[in-house]
């Protein structure tokens, strides 16, 4: 992602986005660390639900809602 900042700056002009400084929006090192792990992660929501956290949103809805919000704020094309 070392070359992402100049490309992002170009995209902000091309698509009239609100933030040209990529470092204010993301931390590529963190994403690389999360997605580059050589292990699988399994999670279980049973304990959370037993403690009363019963509301949830499907993964697909979470992503589509997030990206719709980012587009409305003109942070992504």
């Amino acid at each position: 992602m070392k070359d992402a900042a100049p490309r992002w700056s170009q995209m902000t002009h091309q698509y009239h986005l609100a933030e040209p400084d990529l470092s204010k929006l993301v931390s590529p090192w963190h994403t690389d660390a999360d997605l580059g792990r050589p292990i699988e992660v399994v999670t279980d929501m049973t304990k959370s639900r037993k403690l009363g956290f019963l509301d949830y949103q499907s993964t697909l809805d979470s992503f589509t809602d997030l990206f719709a919000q980012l587009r409305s704020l003109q942070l992504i094309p």
Side-chain angles (χ1 to χ4, degrees), residues 9 11-13 21 27-28 32 41 45 47 54 57 59 64 67-68 73 77:
S9 182
M11 288 176 60
T12 60
H13 295 295
D21 185 351
S27 55
D32 287 346
V41 176
M45 294 299 297
K47 185 175 180 181
L54 303 177
Q57 185 177 25
T59 302
T64 56
F67 288 113
L73 295 171

Side-chain angles (χ1 to χ4, degrees), residues 62-75:
S62 293
F63 277 107
T64 56
D65 288 351
L66 172 62
F67 288 113
Q69 179 182 12
L70 294 173
R71 282 189 188 99
S72 72
L73 295 171
Q74 293 185 298
L75 294 175

Side-chain angles (χ1 to χ4, degrees), residues 34-54:
D34 281 344
L35 298 178
R37 290 184 184 157
I39 60 171
E40 295 293 327
V41 176
V42 177
T43 60
D44 181 357
M45 294 299 297
T46 303
K47 185 175 180 181
S48 295
R49 291 196 174 109
K50 285 182 176 181
L51 291 171
F53 296 95
L54 303 177

